[in-house]
Amino acid sequence: IRPEWSEHYINYGLLKDHLRSFYSRRVQLRHAISPDGSVAVDDFVELSGAEDVDDLMPQRFFQCVDAVKCYDGCGDSLLGERIDIEKARYTLSTLEREEFSSLIEQHIKSVGVFYRNALLPHIQQRIECQDYEEASQALLETMAFACTNIVTFRQLLIRYDAFCITFEGLPLSAAYLQKIVMDVHDMFELERADEFEKQITIGLQIQEDELETGRRKMSPRGRNILAEQVQKFHALLDITD
């Protein structure tokens, strides 16, 4: 990982911490359940992160349910409004899925902007200047950047899936997963990377054949490494299907 590119990678630590906050919230929800299987509305609103119940009710995430009332000596209710635990879990699951999908989409978009607007143009520029060795190195670094983000992306999906299994959360839909995977494929523009590899390989071969130029040559092994890395990049993308 190049330090100067650090802000452009998917922030695995940040998203993992966000998932941990989901775990913590579910544990708190368990402790808030009363014997009748309900949760105080005020407690639930605080857990959900909403400012008040009106932020949740219009979306019809849950409905208040009748609960046994307890009264103090002045006749005031000690329980107040309560919601059924299943409704509470479904509401949190919906919010968590929305939060997670929104965050991961933001990070993927940021990665894509840097990849398309900075890394690929740099490779193109090196090729146009016939600096094929530099272009080769830039392509390898760009592929490493892409592969790192793809692995991170897959790990986050696995972690979210594990969370859903543990706490009966709402998994990402098959349609959404298909869409986001296609977005990742499109973002890394496989055809363009392949074209760069071909241009660089041909350029290096020509330079090696033109011994009179006196330029330092790249060995055939170097060209093979370039081809192997691009193939690995293809394989890594394929397993995200």
Side-chain angles (χ1 to χ4, degrees):
I1 296 177
R2 292 185 60 166
E4 62 269 31
W5 293 358
S6 60
E7 65 183 281
H8 302 292
Y9 287 89
I10 294 175
N11 193 328
Y12 180 74
L14 177 65
L15 288 166
K16 186 172 70 172
D17 286 345
H18 207 79
L19 285 173
R20 283 175 176 167
S21 74
F22 291 173
Y23 277 90
S24 176
R25 184 162 59 187
R26 290 307 189 95
V27 171
Q28 292 178 59
L29 180 64
R30 284 178 177 174
H31 293 317
I33 301 172
S34 67
D36 67 356
S38 66
V39 179
V41 168
D42 288 345
D43 290 342
F44 180 76
V45 168
E46 182 178 353
L47 280 175
S48 70
E51 292 187 4
D52 55 51
V53 71
D54 291 335
D55 289 341
L56 297 172
M57 290 299 288
Q59 300 181 55
R60 306 181 68 83
F61 283 140
F62 65 82
Q63 297 175 347
C64 289
V65 296
D66 293 333
V68 176
K69 300 285 187 178
C70 284
Y71 297 94
D72 61 16
C74 299
D76 294 324
S77 172
L78 296 177
L79 285 178
E81 290 183 300
R82 305 186 69 80
I83 56 175
D84 179 75
I85 185 57
E86 293 305 318
K87 296 286 196 328
R89 287 195 183 110
Y90 179 78
T91 302
L92 281 184
S93 295
T94 303
L95 293 173
E96 288 157 355
R97 183 170 64 177
E98 290 178 352
E99 287 178 26
F100 178 77
S101 59
S102 177
L103 277 173
I104 203 166
E105 285 174 14
Q106 290 174 22
H107 283 252
I108 290 173
K109 182 178 179 180
S110 176
V111 168
V113 168
F114 181 66
Y115 181 84
R116 291 190 302 269
N117 297 347
L119 301 185
L120 294 184
H122 174 66
I123 298 171
Q124 182 68 57
Q125 183 185 47
R126 293 298 88 208
I127 292 174
E128 291 173 355
C129 294
Q130 298 186 357
D131 188 352
Y132 297 112
E133 290 189 38
E134 175 63 27
S136 175
Q137 183 61 33
L139 181 58
L140 289 175
E141 291 178 345
T142 298
M143 295 299 97
F145 172 83
C147 289
T148 299
N149 281 291
I150 292 169
V151 170
T152 301
F153 167 73
R154 294 183 68 233
Q155 287 297 318
L156 287 168
L157 293 183
I158 291 170
R159 279 186 171 271
Y160 179 76
D161 186 58
F163 165 76
C164 290
I165 292 172
T166 302
F167 290 100
E168 300 180 356
L170 290 178
L172 301 173
S173 69
Y176 176 79
L177 284 173
Q178 183 178 22
K179 174 186 176 299
I180 198 169
V181 167
M182 288 304 300
D183 286 345
V184 169
H185 278 244
D186 293 342
M187 178 179 70
F188 289 118
E189 302 181 49
L190 289 178
E191 295 80 6
R192 195 171 179 191
D194 287 343
E195 184 59 31
F196 282 159
E197 183 211 347
K198 292 176 183 176
Q199 293 176 18
I200 293 168
T201 301
I202 292 172
L204 288 169
Q205 183 63 62
I206 291 173
Q207 288 184 352
E208 289 175 12
D209 293 340
E210 296 175 348
L211 300 179
E212 69 278 7
T213 63
R215 292 186 179 181
R216 183 170 59 88
K217 302 186 294 296
M218 182 178 183
S219 67
R221 180 176 178 276
R223 295 198 305 274
N224 291 337
I225 290 175
L226 177 62
E228 289 171 2
Q229 291 302 317
V230 172
Q231 289 173 3
K232 289 179 180 180
F233 173 61
H234 276 273
L236 188 59
L237 275 181
D238 287 342
I239 64 175
T240 62
D241 289 339

